[in-house]
Amino acid sequence: MNTKILEILEFAKIKQALKRYLVSALGQAQLEQLVPLTDSQKIQQQIDQTKDGADILRLKGPIPIPELASIAPHLHRLAIGAVLNGKELAEVGRVLRAANEVTRFFVDFADEEVTLRQVDQIQAQLVTLPKLTKRLRISVEGDGHITDDASTKLRGIRDGIQQLQGDIRAKMTAYTRGNNAKYLSEPIVTIRNDRYVLPVKQEYRGHFGGVVHDQSASGLTLFIEPQSVLSLNNRLRQRQVQEQQEIQRILAELSAAIAPYQGEIKQNATILGQLDFINAKARYAKALKATEPLLNLDNHVALRQARHPLIDADKVVANDIFLGEDYHAMIITGPNTGGKTITLKTMGLLQLMAQAGLFIPAREESQVGVFDNIFADIGDEQSIEQNLSTFSSHMSNIVTILKQVDQNSLVLLDEVGAGTDPQEGAALAIAILDQLGATDSYVMATTHYPELKAYGYNRPQTINASMEFDVKTLQPTYRLLIGVPGRSNAFDIATRLGLADQIVAQAKQLINADDQDLNNMISDLEAQRKAAEKARSQAQTLLAKATTLHQDLAAASQEFVTARQEQMNKAKDKANQIVSRAQTESDKIIRQLRQLQLNQKNGVKEHQLIAAKTNLANLKQEKALAKNKVLQHEKRRQALKVGDDVLVTTYGQQGVLLEQLDKNHWEVQLGILKMKVATRDLEKTAPKAQPKPRRQFATVHTGNHVSPTLDLRGERYEEALADVDRYIDAALLAGYAQVTIVHGKGTGALRQGITDYLKTNRQVKKFKFAPANAGGNGATVVTLK
């Protein structure tokens, strides 16, 4: 693509705005290489990266790229065997730490339900070197200073230096106080040639002895190292030399540790620069409120509410710009300062931004083409040195464009044919547009010539457009009106400004009848356009509401069908489970009865028979009686009292009421058993002819439902064992094959007592502690026979 268009449309200002968001040297290098591309795959790849950056910025904030200097020179020096200094090592270490931090960032971002297009693949190329990174972090500070932790020897040397410096300062400070202070120009201790000295007056140079290291500009002050600290300063200097030697050894050692990973470090720096550039594009898009452009390979441009990115967002007027699908050329007319040139630049600059992989300031779903070249003739380019007039400079530029243009070119012409005689200029403009049409290129042109308004109607694939002008306010609105040519507003403006009506009427009679008819036609078109826009707006509103309603109904219908099918499947599964369980339980009860019949000479005991009948009755799946309002009313009508014969509905057994325990429970005699039963589970029956024999009772307190879990925590030992005994009987009557006894861990006494009891109970088949996630040895799972 020609570079002149970048200058005309001020693409460099877009790059300058992007630069504010960059933090790395390699990111800035990528920005310098940013140009519009012509390969659709490469353009889409760049747009995808910007889209990923925008999604990441929206969900997690920017990718954490720190300020990074270019390490290419450092790696080059390392490649030729040089030893890196502390600052260079610090910059390499910063790259390694950034690679680690970015990798962790993307691991966390993986939890977001967003599929990235490109950036995750770019980040995956980062190589983390944790050991080397840690060593550099420990050994070198950000400014390149080698830390005390770099080596044990260095720490020891520096500790010695600090001690010597303390001793020297203590001795030297003593000279600044007392009688010795009068021999000094100032009572301070300073440093010359890396040695501690005193500022001594010239006349007392021999008072302290020692070595003179410097003197003041006037010569009145000598900087003397006293004789008493010479040995200490010598030792200090020796330690400082040792420190530098150890630092050089550490630098060489760290450089050698980095050398094998030069390729990985260079790759990390490149990738971090690329991610920094993606960050900048995303942040610029957010600041500009820009959206992703959709590439149209047929060069159908559809910019919706497009805004010029370099104009203040509070002042810029957004416009819809369409080109390429129904027409290849657009002729824009309108008054000066009405926004024609800005519309051309908006079209061109947004196309350049999109082909450079940037988001564009337009509404979502806006489409852009992929042009091999974009040409523009905009502005006054007259040259004094070349003796070219405005018209000549325009013609020279257009000649160059016509030599290069083809069917994949976008051409922007501002005031085509201007700068010469209007009649000749209009003719030239029409001829130039015809030639561009012959190449099948895409053209947007602005003009003042009325002849080009008719051109827009007569030429195929060409449409008129204009910049709207508000006659009431005498101001342009900067809105682009596609399909309507601009009309002259001179008469209307003159009338509103107070020009006499007879003068305006006379002027109208003087203009060509065709021009008058054209203006009238334009006025009619504007009125029709406004009516059409109003109708279209209403239709779009109704369509949006209907579409939303349709989508809601479709979604609700689908949810209903899905939920109904799920419920039917669940009901079938549950029914199958109930049937299977009922078959299994009935087979088990029949086997138990047969076994009892064989094992017991006196036949089956009554409580065993009751339990078997109860289990069989429980296999029947019926609605709970509590939901039957007729039966509830009948039960409320029957008053229960002590001695009444009743039917216990949950067990299907006849019994006698012994005592009302509370308003909701009765104690009932069932054969040899006494049970606590809820009032709602009792039905009054006719009395039996023969009284029931009374024998020794085994009392079990239960409700209409026995819990499969018994919690004994907090109970005393004797009470707990008694509850266990009653609970096992109740569980057998309820038909449970397995129950859980929660006794807690505590001292272990209760657990041991329950274990001993379960070993002696014949109704217990086996028992074991609960799984670790269900209580461990704080609960016992009991399997019943």
Side-chain angles (χ1 to χ4, degrees):
M1 185 173 293
N2 72 93
T3 56
K4 187 176 182 180
I5 191 64
L6 305 181
E7 179 182 349
I8 293 174
L9 298 180
E10 301 178 294
F11 187 72
K13 291 185 178 181
I14 299 296
K15 295 173 67 172
Q16 191 64 32
L18 272 169
K19 189 175 181 179
R20 296 196 296 266
Y21 300 101
L22 291 168
V23 295
S24 70
L26 282 175
Q28 294 178 4
Q30 288 214 356
L31 176 61
E32 291 174 2
Q33 299 172 5
L34 179 66
V35 291
L37 305 173
T38 57
D39 186 320
S40 60
Q41 291 185 347
K42 292 181 179 179
I43 295 172
Q44 188 60 58
Q45 185 180 51
Q46 293 299 315
I47 291 175
D48 288 345
Q49 292 177 10
T50 307
K51 177 65 165 63
D52 287 346
D55 286 341
I56 293 170
L57 179 65
R58 174 172 53 85
L59 295 172
K60 296 283 286 186
I63 303 171
I65 306 292
E67 292 187 11
L68 298 175
S70 174
I71 62 170
H74 313 340
L75 297 179
H76 178 70
R77 292 186 62 241
L78 198 62
I80 61 177
V83 174
L84 302 185
N85 59 39
K87 185 176 180 181
E88 292 170 334
L89 287 170
E91 290 174 350
V92 172
R94 192 175 293 114
V95 169
L96 291 174
R97 290 197 300 275
N100 286 345
E101 188 173 352
V102 169
T103 300
R104 287 193 298 269
F105 177 85
F106 275 89
V107 170
D108 294 339
F109 185 79
D111 296 335
E112 302 290 339
E113 296 181 358
V114 173
T115 301
L116 299 178
R117 303 177 185 177
Q118 292 280 336
V119 172
D120 53 344
Q121 301 171 27
I122 296 173
Q123 178 274 326
Q125 301 176 52
L126 286 174
V127 179
T128 56
L129 303 169
K131 291 184 179 179
L132 182 58
T133 304
K134 182 179 180 182
R135 186 174 181 186
L136 287 173
R137 179 176 57 80
I138 292 175
S139 303
V140 186
E141 293 180 351
D143 59 357
H145 174 72
I146 305 302
T147 67
D148 295 350
D149 296 326
S151 75
T152 305
K153 183 177 180 181
L154 181 62
R155 179 180 292 277
I157 292 172
R158 286 180 172 172
D159 288 344
I161 289 174
Q162 289 181 356
Q163 185 176 355
L164 283 171
Q165 288 175 336
D167 294 343
I168 292 171
R169 281 195 297 269
K171 279 197 171 187
M172 298 284 280
T173 302
Y175 291 128
T176 64
R177 296 193 294 266
N179 292 329
N180 288 321
K182 65 184 179 181
Y183 304 111
L184 304 178
S185 298
E186 292 182 78
I188 60 172
V189 177
T190 185
I191 294 177
R192 290 291 187 276
N193 299 327
D194 295 329
R195 299 176 78 90
Y196 288 93
V197 295
L198 294 172
V200 181
K201 296 176 181 177
Q202 171 69 29
E203 59 269 27
Y204 301 115
R205 62 180 301 167
H207 179 77
F208 298 100
V211 178
V212 177
H213 287 278
D214 196 5
Q215 67 179 5
S216 64
S218 64
L220 298 178
T221 300
L222 301 177
F223 295 94
I224 297 175
E225 179 184 359
Q227 182 69 35
S228 60
V229 296
L230 278 175
S231 60
L232 289 175
N233 266 332
N234 288 337
R235 288 167 58 191
L236 175 62
R237 184 58 185 161
Q238 184 179 6
R239 287 293 181 92
Q240 290 171 340
V241 171
Q242 291 175 352
E243 178 188 21
Q244 291 304 313
Q245 291 174 344
E246 178 62 12
I247 288 175
Q248 287 302 315
R249 186 194 68 78
I250 292 170
L251 293 176
E253 189 177 79
L254 293 175
S255 298
I258 290 173
Y261 303 103
Q262 294 178 59
E264 291 86 345
I265 295 172
K266 183 178 181 180
Q267 176 177 300
N268 282 353
T270 302
I271 293 171
L272 290 171
Q274 190 173 1
L275 293 175
D276 181 31
F277 183 54
I278 292 171
N279 249 355
K281 292 195 293 182
R283 294 174 65 188
Y284 181 54
K286 181 180 179 181
L288 207 58
K289 296 182 180 178
T291 63
E292 177 186 5
L294 305 181
L295 295 187
N296 188 303
L297 302 185
D298 294 324
N299 287 340
H300 295 168
V301 178
L303 300 176
R304 304 179 185 278
Q305 294 299 291
R307 311 181 308 276
H308 195 288
L310 301 180
I311 299 178
D312 188 342
D314 296 330
K315 298 179 180 179
V316 67
V317 176
N319 275 305
D320 292 339
I321 305 175
F322 302 98
L323 187 69
E325 184 172 8
D326 298 324
Y327 41 85
H328 279 203
M330 180 185 296
I331 311 300
I332 306 175
T333 53
N336 287 327
T337 69
K340 298 190 302 296
T341 304
I342 288 298
T343 301
L344 287 186
K345 289 186 174 182
T346 300
M347 169 69 171
L349 186 53
L350 265 58
Q351 187 64 50
L352 290 178
M353 291 175 65
Q355 290 191 220
L358 302 176
F359 277 19
I360 59 175
R363 187 175 293 175
E364 292 182 351
E365 305 297 323
S366 290
Q367 297 182 33
V368 295
V370 179
F371 297 103
D372 292 340
N373 243 318
I374 300 178
F375 300 100
D377 179 57
I378 298 175
D380 186 357
E381 298 184 11
Q382 62 178 318
S383 171
I384 296 176
E385 293 181 359
Q386 297 181 15
N387 194 27
L388 295 178
S389 66
T390 300
F391 176 75
S392 298
S393 65
H394 282 303
M395 283 300 105
S396 177
N397 193 21
I398 289 174
V399 168
T400 303
I401 292 173
L402 291 175
K403 290 179 180 179
Q404 303 178 56
V405 72
D406 59 22
Q407 70 274 12
N408 286 322
S409 298
L410 172 63
V411 182
L412 308 173
L413 301 177
D414 188 28
E415 299 296 346
V416 58
T420 186
D421 177 78
Q423 189 172 3
E424 293 179 354
L428 273 175
I430 291 173
I432 291 169
L433 291 173
D434 280 342
Q435 180 61 32
L436 290 172
T439 64
D440 203 25
S441 59
Y442 301 82
V443 181
M444 285 185 67
T446 67
T447 182
H448 279 97
Y449 295 137
E451 291 85 351
L452 266 68
K453 299 176 184 178
Y455 178 89
Y457 284 108
N458 298 328
R459 292 302 191 274
Q461 291 191 320
T462 303
I463 193 170
N464 277 312
S466 61
M467 304 307 298
E468 188 179 52
F469 186 86
D470 191 339
V471 180
K472 294 181 180 179
T473 62
L474 303 181
Q475 295 292 330
T477 65
Y478 306 107
R479 291 184 61 226
L480 176 66
L481 307 178
I482 297 177
V484 179
R487 68 184 182 93
S488 173
N489 296 294
F491 294 151
D492 293 333
I493 294 174
T495 301
R496 289 188 60 81
L497 292 177
L499 188 64
D501 291 341
Q502 65 272 18
I503 298 176
V504 174
Q506 183 179 359
K508 287 182 179 180
Q509 292 176 0
L510 294 174
I511 68 170
N512 187 288
D514 292 338
D515 292 340
Q516 183 65 37
D517 291 341
L518 180 60
N519 280 330
N520 293 335
M521 179 185 66
I522 293 173
S523 298
D524 292 341
L525 283 174
E526 287 185 350
Q528 293 174 18
R529 178 194 57 80
K530 291 180 179 179
E533 281 189 355
K534 183 178 180 181
R536 181 172 63 88
S537 176
Q538 293 174 347
Q540 286 180 339
T541 301
L542 292 174
L543 177 61
K545 290 181 179 179
T547 301
T548 302
L549 180 59
H550 173 74
Q551 291 173 348
D552 292 344
L553 289 174
S557 176
Q558 183 61 38
E559 289 178 3
F560 170 75
V561 172
T562 302
R564 181 180 63 181
Q565 188 61 41
E566 288 178 355
Q567 291 299 324
M568 290 179 66
N569 291 338
K570 288 180 180 179
K572 290 177 181 179
D573 291 340
K574 188 172 182 180
N576 291 335
Q577 292 173 2
I578 291 172
V579 171
S580 177
R581 186 165 59 248
Q583 290 175 344
T584 302
E585 292 296 328
S586 62
D587 291 342
K588 178 181 176 182
I589 293 168
I590 292 171
R591 286 197 302 272
Q592 291 175 347
L593 289 173
R594 289 175 178 171
Q595 188 64 35
L596 290 171
Q597 189 69 32
L598 293 174
N599 294 341
Q600 299 181 16
K601 296 180 180 180
N602 297 329
V604 181
K605 295 181 179 180
E606 185 177 356
H607 77 279
Q608 294 171 333
L609 184 59
I610 291 174
K613 289 181 178 179
T614 300
N615 289 337
L616 285 172
N618 287 338
L619 296 180
K620 185 178 181 181
Q621 302 298 319
E622 294 180 346
K623 293 184 179 179
L625 291 177
K627 297 181 181 180
N628 192 317
K629 295 183 178 180
V630 176
L631 292 179
Q632 289 183 40
H633 176 74
E634 182 64 22
K635 286 172 65 176
R636 285 194 297 269
R637 191 179 63 81
Q638 299 182 27
L640 299 178
K641 59 182 180 297
V642 176
D644 283 348
D645 293 311
V646 293
L647 172 66
V648 181
T649 58
T650 52
Y651 297 105
Q653 299 296 314
Q654 295 284 343
V656 179
L657 296 180
L658 299 180
E659 179 184 358
Q660 185 171 8
L661 302 177
D662 53 51
K663 65 177 181 179
N664 294 322
H665 294 87
W666 285 80
E667 187 175 43
V668 183
Q669 181 74 47
L670 293 176
I672 63 171
L673 300 176
K674 285 183 180 179
M675 300 186 69
K676 179 181 178 182
V677 182
T679 304
R680 64 175 178 273
D681 296 330
L682 298 175
E683 288 187 5
K684 192 173 181 180
T685 61
K688 291 186 178 181
Q690 297 180 357
K692 295 182 181 180
R694 301 183 64 83
R695 290 190 272 176
Q696 185 177 359
F697 301 118
T699 302
V700 177
H701 291 285
T702 182
N704 63 327
H705 175 71
V706 178
S707 173
T709 301
L710 175 64
D711 193 345
L712 300 173
R713 289 174 294 183
E715 293 191 14
R716 299 179 62 184
Y717 183 88
E718 293 79 11
E719 294 175 351
L721 290 182
D723 285 346
V724 170
D725 186 48
R726 289 192 294 270
Y727 178 74
I728 294 298
D729 288 340
L732 286 168
L733 284 175
Y736 289 149
Q738 182 175 287
V739 296
T740 301
I741 301 175
V742 181
H743 43 67
K745 298 180 180 180
T747 61
L750 180 57
R751 178 178 57 206
Q752 186 60 45
I754 292 173
T755 299
D756 294 339
Y757 165 80
L758 294 175
K759 289 179 181 179
T760 61
N761 193 320
R762 295 182 179 180
Q763 302 298 331
V764 176
K765 184 177 181 180
K766 61 180 180 180
F767 60 92
K768 62 181 179 181
F769 290 134
N773 62 353
N777 61 1
T780 300
V781 179
V782 182
T783 303
L784 303 176
K785 293 182 179 179

